[in-house]
Amino acid sequence: MGSRFDEMRIFSGNGNRALSELICDRLNVPLGDATIVKFSNENIFAKLNESVREKDVFVVQSLSTPNLSDRIMELLILLDACRRASAGRVTAVIPYYAYGRTDKKDQPRVPITARLLADMIQAAGAQQVLTIDLHAGQIQGFFNIPMDELTAMHLLVRYWSEKGWDNVIVVSPDVGFAKRGRNFAEAIGAPLAIAEKRRVQHLASRDNNGNYSSPEIMNLIGDVVGKRCIIVDDEIATGGSILEVVDLLNREGASEIYACCVHPVFAANAVQRLRQSGLRELVTTDTLPLTPEQRWPSLTVLSVSTMLAEVIQRIHSGVSVDTIFSQRHYSAFG
C-alpha cells in the first residue's frame, strides 16, 4: 500500500536528539532542518528551515529532564510550526510521556496533568501520537486523535532470554505492575514473585508536625531463595522503590539480583544510589537520553530506534502497525 503523502519529514526537539538521529539512520532519511532557540527572557523560538507543505511530518521529542518544561514547549511549538506551514499530516513521536503518574484525581483539588498535556498536544496541531510504555494505559483515552502505544518490553525479554540462564525468577516491584510482570515472566519462561508494600495502621505515630503517619512494611509473595532475580518495571525515577526491593530480596536469600526498566528517568541522586545498590546489572533503553555521567559499567542500554523507525515507516506507508505486535508477540505487554 502506498502513502497518500509524497514525502516523509522527521524533525527533532532537544529532548533526545541522539535517538532521532538513529531513527533517521534506520530509515535512510536526513533529519529535518529546524532551528530551536531559547532567548534570554526564556521564550522558546522554533523555525522549520525547509518546506513541509503536504508532507508527512513526524516530530520526535522525549519529554525528558532536566528542563522538562522547555521540552514540552519545544514539542508544542514545533507542532504548531508544522501545522501553520501546511504539513499534510503531523505525528508527535513521544518516546517518554511525562506526567504519566498524574493520570487521575487521587486527592481533593488536584489536576489531572496527563490529560492537560494531551489536550495541549492536540491543540498544538498533532493529528496522531506515537509513544512507548505509558505509566498508565488509560492515558490513551485522553486523546481524541489516533494514539499508538508501543512497548519496548520485548527488547528486555530478548536480552534476558538470550542469557540462557536457569533458576531465574522475575520480580514485580509492586502489586500494580503484577500483570505486566507476569507477562514478562511468561515470556522468558520464569516464575513471578511480587513485592507487596502496605501501611501498618496500628503502628501509626505522630511526626514533627503533629501529623499521623503509618510505617510501611514490604512482604514478598514468592520464593527467591538461591535464585537469580530480575526486577522489572516500566520506569526508574529516584530508584527508591527498586532499592527497597533489592534489600528485601537480599533478606529473603536471593543469590543474584538484576533489574530492568524501559524508561531511565534517573532523577535526583538515582544514579549514585543505583551504582551502590549491589545490582549485578541494570538494563534499560534509550527512550530518554543519558549523559556520560549517568552511565556506569553495569548499566546496559538497548535502543528503541529500530522499532520506532519501523512503525514510522508503516504509518507513512499506510500499513497496519498491529501486524508488528502479532508477528513478535508484543501484544502480551499491552
Side-chain angles (χ1 to χ4, degrees), residues 26-156:
R26 303 289 188 271
L27 292 169
N28 196 29
V29 298
L31 185 62
D33 184 10
T35 299
I36 302 175
V37 178
K38 184 176 181 180
F39 296 119
S40 57
N41 63 357
E42 299 191 2
N43 287 3
I44 293 173
F45 169 80
K47 180 184 178 183
L48 307 180
N49 297 318
E50 56 187 274
S51 174
V52 296
R53 184 175 296 274
E54 295 306 316
K55 303 294 191 294
D56 197 8
V57 179
F58 296 83
V59 177
V60 183
Q61 177 78 323
S62 273
L63 302 182
S64 59
T65 58
N67 304 316
L68 171 59
S69 295
D70 286 356
R71 303 297 167 253
I72 293 173
M73 285 304 301
E74 287 176 8
L75 172 62
L76 299 178
I77 292 170
L78 283 170
L79 292 172
D80 187 66
C82 292
R83 177 169 61 92
R84 294 179 185 277
S86 301
R89 179 175 60 185
V90 183
T91 301
V93 182
I94 310 173
Y96 176 70
Y97 189 90
Y99 290 102
R101 296 178 185 271
T102 53
D103 60 302
K104 59 184 176 298
K105 287 190 67 173
D106 54 2
Q107 53 185 301
R109 298 176 297 281
V110 297
I112 304 178
T113 319
R115 172 59 191 264
L116 173 63
L117 182 57
D119 289 343
M120 291 192 297
I121 290 170
Q122 292 172 100
Q127 293 165 276
Q128 61 184 47
V129 173
L130 183 62
T131 191
I132 298 176
D133 286 301
L134 292 167
H135 184 70
Q138 61 263 31
I139 293 173
Q140 296 179 32
F142 294 168
F143 289 89
N144 295 318
I145 56 178
M147 205 289 187
D148 289 310
E149 180 190 1
L150 310 178
T151 179
M153 284 292 177
H154 70 283
L155 295 175
L156 304 176

Side-chain angles (χ1 to χ4, degrees), residues 91-281:
T91 301
V93 182
I94 310 173
Y96 176 70
Y97 189 90
Y99 290 102
R101 296 178 185 271
T102 53
D103 60 302
K104 59 184 176 298
K105 287 190 67 173
D106 54 2
Q107 53 185 301
R109 298 176 297 281
V110 297
I112 304 178
T113 319
R115 172 59 191 264
L116 173 63
L117 182 57
D119 289 343
M120 291 192 297
I121 290 170
Q122 292 172 100
Q127 293 165 276
Q128 61 184 47
V129 173
L130 183 62
T131 191
I132 298 176
D133 286 301
L134 292 167
H135 184 70
Q138 61 263 31
I139 293 173
Q140 296 179 32
F142 294 168
F143 289 89
N144 295 318
I145 56 178
M147 205 289 187
D148 289 310
E149 180 190 1
L150 310 178
T151 179
M153 284 292 177
H154 70 283
L155 295 175
L156 304 176
V157 165
R158 183 186 308 155
Y159 181 85
W160 295 115
S161 296
E162 290 176 351
K163 295 284 187 182
W165 287 342
D166 55 9
N167 204 30
V168 173
I169 187 168
V170 172
V171 180
S172 171
D174 55 54
V175 175
F177 197 78
K179 179 182 178 181
R180 282 192 279 181
R182 182 191 65 218
N183 293 337
F184 189 95
E186 290 177 351
I188 68 171
L192 175 69
I194 303 171
E196 177 200 30
K197 183 187 292 185
R198 60 187 177 89
R199 293 185 178 275
V200 186
Q201 298 295 337
H202 71 275
L203 295 178
S205 59
R206 288 183 182 272
D207 59 22
N208 293 332
N209 296 320
N211 299 316
Y212 278 100
S213 62
S214 303
E216 294 178 336
I217 64 170
M218 183 170 282
N219 296 318
L220 186 68
I221 304 172
D223 180 15
V224 299
V225 176
K227 294 182 179 179
R228 288 189 176 103
C229 297
I230 303 174
I231 307 168
V232 59
D233 208 347
D234 62 328
E235 67 178 64
I236 295 178
T238 63
S241 296
I242 291 290
L243 296 180
E244 288 181 351
V245 176
V246 169
D247 290 341
L248 176 62
L249 295 176
N250 279 322
R251 292 196 304 269
E252 294 291 330
S255 62
E256 299 174 3
I257 304 174
Y258 303 82
C260 59
C261 70
V262 174
H263 305 299
V265 180
F266 294 172
N269 62 342
V271 169
Q272 180 181 358
R273 300 173 72 189
L274 290 166
R275 293 185 67 162
Q276 299 172 351
S277 66
L279 284 170
R280 294 291 186 95
E281 185 179 13

Side-chain angles (χ1 to χ4, degrees), residues 310-327:
E310 183 173 351
V311 172
I312 287 172
Q313 182 61 63
R314 284 171 176 264
I315 291 173
H316 174 65
S317 301
V319 177
S320 173
V321 173
D322 180 65
T323 56
I324 299 180
F325 302 126
S326 300
Q327 292 167 0

Side-chain angles (χ1 to χ4, degrees), residues 152 155-159 283-287 300-305:
L155 295 175
L156 304 176
V157 165
R158 183 186 308 155
Y159 181 85
V283 182
T284 187
T285 78
D286 60 352
T287 59
T300 299
V301 181
L302 310 175
S303 183
V304 298
S305 58

